[in-house]
Amino acid sequence: MRDGPATCQSPSNMSHVRVRFAPSPTGFFHIGSARTALFNWLYARHTGGVFILRIEDTDKERNRDQFLNLIYDSLTWLGLDWDEGPKAGGAFGPYRQSERGEIYRAAVQKLVAAGRAYEKDGAIWFKLLGERHEVYDEHRKKTVTKVGVPPVVIQDLIRGRVERVEDEDFVIVRSDGSPVFHFVNVVDDIAMKVTHIIRGEDHLSNTSKHVLLYDGFGVKPPAFAHIPLILKSPEMGQGKMSKRDKGALIEEYQQRHFLPEALVNYLSLLGWNPGDNREKMPIAEIVQLFDLPGVNQSNAKFDGKKLGHMNMLYLLEQPADRFADLAREYFRQQPGGFAALADEAYFREVMLLAQPKIKSIDELAAYTVYFFADDFPIDAKVKEKVMAKGDPKARLDELLAALPAADFSSDAAIEEALKRLATEKGLGFGDYQAVARLAVTGTNAGPSITAIFRVLGKERVLRRLGAFLAGN
RNA sequence: GUCCCCAUCGUCUAGCCCGGUCCAGGACACCACCCUUUCACGGUGAGAACCGGGGUUCGAAUCCCCGUGGGGACGCCA
């Protein structure tokens, strides 16, 4: 205490963890990429380290600006802010590999000078050290040169010790002069002082090449943490989830107006858990508890239903103002959605009724049609069922006779009026509720009938009851 | 085909490292009931798993081996 606040943040306390997320803009941004980005971000935030975004755009053929923007948009939407990278700057830039040509050329020269790289067929190859012999590869249907080398040992933070034999020279610069992934990846991780490489398990087999390259540069490799993959759900089929699978794209959830915090929470639980039974957790708490040794080793299947449930949990607890904001944005993009937004006060009333009932924002239009249009659809099945029970037309008549004198100023007043009517006729509330709901909303699902009456207003309710009776 | 990783309810997982407290806990989904003015929410309950075989041990979901299954990698893609 007597040291004062100035010494609280001593340099020895400061983390020097540097992690990076290194996507390539060659396709849509999907769940798997998002989860890898998330785990890197979580680790950076947990340790007080630095989260770097690096764009691996060395594949000129397949790069698209559209995909690049999608990376920025998706990360931003998810709340995964990067400390260094495009748009953020940093001391180790540029952060797009397409702009780092000089750095790679120098790195190649270094390896060539050290006798660890050579040219063949116009490409530059990384040279393994050891005895060479030719062998025919059945799988690849060609003769390859094997090098007698000891296995590469990888110390993985999640998987422990992994051994793998890497026994062939491999290309680091293509014959067109462009450097390949393995090479630029390692060069950049060295240049950007990356301390922990957190990536999908599909890269585990590549890691032996990477370790060899670090060795070639005379640099000690960083810590590796290969996280489990996200597989297709049983309905989607077999194998790891790909961008082509339904529900695999971050963009989809953004368009469906899912809450990003719900998606992030769900994703954090794929391969990690807080150690107790909690699932819905604020991001700050996840940051606090997340650590690499806590990550699972086995792949997880994506479950859209559970994501939906998480989304509902978050939706339920949103303040009315934020819910209205989200809903407004949604209706603006909805065909004909302007009708819902015509009267702000009325819109807010309807949203108050809808919020506790829906599971996701994109159900809103269908759930609230009858509040905003008189030509709402009538559910044929529900109609058949309701009209077959008791004497619904008589109930409608009675409603039409009793309601004009009723007080519509509050749910309680409407409830009282309806109950009085029911008692008078020796019937139950339910005898009126079902048919009234059908006539006024066209369905059997929704908020309480009293709330619907109140928000719709007496005039509109009477008009719909009358019209329904006349038409049936 | 070769190499690497993995293996608890249909799914996500706790437990496994440091064997007994586990006839295996939670969540999603499913079913039943309750709440109720419909539909949701919520509540209660049911069904549902230690992949198989060997070992080690007094004792194994937990440790070891083999098999099987799942996943991944074997590109001048990333």
Side-chain angles (χ1 to χ4, degrees), chain A residues 30-36 38-39 42 158-159 227-233 236 241 247 253 262-274 278-279 286 290 294-304 306-307 310:
Chain A
H30 63 108
I31 295 283
S33 306
R35 208 269 309 251
T36 301
L38 173 63
F39 278 23
L42 283 172
I158 293 167
R159 277 149 223 290
I227 64 180
L229 265 21
I230 298 178
L231 270 28
K232 295 176 209 266
S233 64
M236 292 193 288
M241 202 142 117
Y253 297 100
L263 218 203
V264 164
N265 194 154
Y266 172 73
L267 250 25
S268 75
L269 262 16
L270 246 34
W272 175 85
N273 68 80
R278 277 177 310 161
E279 296 197 324
I286 298 175
F290 183 87
V295 175
N296 292 153
Q297 302 175 305
S298 48
N299 296 340
K301 291 194 173 98
F302 179 80
D303 184 354
K306 189 148 187 174
L307 204 205
M310 187 64 80

Side-chain angles (χ1 to χ4, degrees), chain A residues 155-221:
Chain A
Q155 281 296 344
D156 193 280
L157 258 25
I158 293 167
R159 277 149 223 290
R161 179 194 164 95
V162 177
E163 250 187 45
R164 191 170 180 279
V165 176
E166 189 70 50
D167 59 0
E168 287 175 37
D169 289 355
F170 52 90
V171 168
I172 54 175
V173 180
R174 302 183 188 93
S175 45
D176 70 357
S178 61
V180 307
F181 160 74
H182 302 296
F183 182 71
V184 294
N185 198 265
V186 168
V187 169
D188 285 344
D189 284 338
I190 293 172
M192 295 179 184
K193 299 198 184 325
V194 170
T195 58
H196 299 255
I197 295 182
I198 304 168
R199 61 184 10 166
E201 199 230 58
D202 49 345
H203 285 290
L204 188 52
S205 310
N206 294 328
T207 306
S208 46
K209 282 192 179 75
H210 300 179
V211 169
L212 253 16
L213 281 168
Y214 277 100
D215 194 47
F217 285 115
V219 174
K220 185 174 163 284

Side-chain angles (χ1 to χ4, degrees), chain A residues 26 66 98 166 172 207 222 295 336 343 421 424 458 470:
Chain A
T26 54
Q66 169 207 358
S98 55
E166 189 70 50
I172 54 175
T207 306
V295 175
D343 180 337
L421 173 62
E424 240 168 62
K458 191 190 283 186

Side-chain angles (χ1 to χ4, degrees), chain A residues 4-258:
Chain A
T7 53
C8 285
Q9 281 287 104
S10 72
S12 60
N13 282 341
M14 274 163 37
S15 163
H16 55 273
V17 166
R18 293 175 59 83
V19 294
R20 68 355 181 230
F21 173 57
S24 62
T26 54
F28 291 99
F29 194 76
H30 63 108
I31 295 283
S33 306
R35 208 269 309 251
T36 301
L38 173 63
F39 278 23
N40 273 283
W41 182 88
L42 283 172
Y43 192 64
R45 295 295 170 259
H46 174 76
T47 57
V50 173
F51 179 53
I52 305 165
L53 174 64
R54 184 173 75 220
I55 305 297
E56 307 222 330
D57 52 353
T58 55
D59 185 350
K60 293 179 199 126
E61 301 290 306
R62 299 195 300 151
N63 286 331
R64 296 286 121 82
D65 276 354
Q66 169 207 358
F67 296 138
L68 183 62
N69 288 325
L70 213 50
I71 291 168
Y72 299 147
D73 288 350
S74 297
L75 286 175
T76 303
W77 181 66
L78 290 169
L80 307 181
D81 54 320
W82 56 98
D83 308 304
E84 291 180 23
K87 299 185 175 197
F92 301 87
Y95 291 91
R96 289 181 61 169
Q97 292 184 331
S98 55
E99 296 166 5
R100 296 173 64 82
E102 281 310 318
I103 294 160
Y104 304 136
R105 270 187 282 280
V108 172
Q109 279 321 304
K110 208 172 155 189
L111 284 185
V112 171
R116 295 305 307 268
Y118 62 92
E119 193 186 325
K120 191 181 94 184
D121 304 331
I124 313 273
W125 298 67
F126 182 72
K127 184 181 183 184
L128 265 40
L129 273 19
E131 219 166 283
R132 287 163 185 265
H133 61 279
E134 309 258 292
V135 79
Y136 184 75
D137 186 310
E138 294 282 351
H139 185 63
R140 285 178 290 174
K141 307 274 183 237
K142 64 173 184 180
T143 303
V144 295
T145 304
K146 295 276 185 192
V147 187
V149 288
V152 175
V153 175
I154 300 147
Q155 281 296 344
D156 193 280
L157 258 25
I158 293 167
R159 277 149 223 290
R161 179 194 164 95
V162 177
E163 250 187 45
R164 191 170 180 279
V165 176
E166 189 70 50
D167 59 0
E168 287 175 37
D169 289 355
F170 52 90
V171 168
I172 54 175
V173 180
R174 302 183 188 93
S175 45
D176 70 357
S178 61
V180 307
F181 160 74
H182 302 296
F183 182 71
V184 294
N185 198 265
V186 168
V187 169
D188 285 344
D189 284 338
I190 293 172
M192 295 179 184
K193 299 198 184 325
V194 170
T195 58
H196 299 255
I197 295 182
I198 304 168
R199 61 184 10 166
E201 199 230 58
D202 49 345
H203 285 290
L204 188 52
S205 310
N206 294 328
T207 306
S208 46
K209 282 192 179 75
H210 300 179
V211 169
L212 253 16
L213 281 168
Y214 277 100
D215 194 47
F217 285 115
V219 174
K220 185 174 163 284
F224 291 100
H226 286 95
I227 64 180
L229 265 21
I230 298 178
L231 270 28
K232 295 176 209 266
S233 64
E235 309 88 68
M236 292 193 288
Q238 296 277 298
K240 75 169 169 172
M241 202 142 117
S242 83
K243 330 183 186 226
R244 288 174 298 279
D245 292 311
K246 179 122 185 61
L249 268 31
I250 296 303
E251 210 188 355
E252 278 180 51
Y253 297 100
Q254 200 173 353
Q255 278 163 189
R256 288 176 58 193
H257 298 263
F258 269 59

Side-chain angles (χ1 to χ4, degrees), chain A residues 398-399 402 416-426 432:
Chain A
E398 290 155 9
L399 245 13
E416 204 197 308
L418 288 174
K419 281 194 168 148
R420 197 181 320 123
L421 173 62
T423 310
E424 240 168 62
K425 306 290 177 188
Y432 292 92

